[in-house]
Amino acid sequence: MKIFLNAGHGGKDPGAIGNGLMERDVVLSIAQRAEKYLRDVGFEVKTFQYDGLQTICDDANAFKADIFISIHCNAGGG
């Protein structure tokens, strides 16, 4: 089974920012850890981080992913 992991906000938009963290960095770390785990248990995995939705979809389709997972972290106020 092929799993495509999209770590959100890989381009100019860093996503949510707070407490000295940027969403794009946090989600990339999460995706890389998930990728390692999924590979270790036998899945074929591709991790991709880019802002362009069409590019993300094209890459996932070219990979022929069975599962598409997009990772994001939201920010909350006060």
Side-chain angles (χ1 to χ4, degrees):
M1 181 171 293
K2 292 182 168 189
I3 301 173
F4 187 93
L5 300 174
N6 169 43
H9 300 287
K12 293 179 184 179
D13 178 7
I17 298 174
N19 298 316
L21 299 171
M22 288 190 289
E23 179 179 2
R24 71 173 164 217
D25 299 334
V26 173
V27 297
L28 181 58
S29 176
I30 292 167
Q32 289 169 335
R33 291 172 190 203
E35 178 180 6
K36 181 185 180 325
Y37 172 79
L38 291 166
R39 284 186 190 279
D40 287 350
V41 297
F43 292 102
E44 188 174 347
V45 183
K46 182 169 185 179
T47 298
F48 190 79
Q49 188 177 46
Y50 187 77
D51 270 339
L53 182 57
Q54 188 62 56
T55 303
I56 294 166
C57 292
D58 290 346
D59 203 45
N61 287 330
F63 180 60
K64 299 189 185 304
D66 297 298
I67 298 173
F68 179 97
I69 300 170
S70 187
I71 303 169
H72 289 267
C73 298
N74 292 330

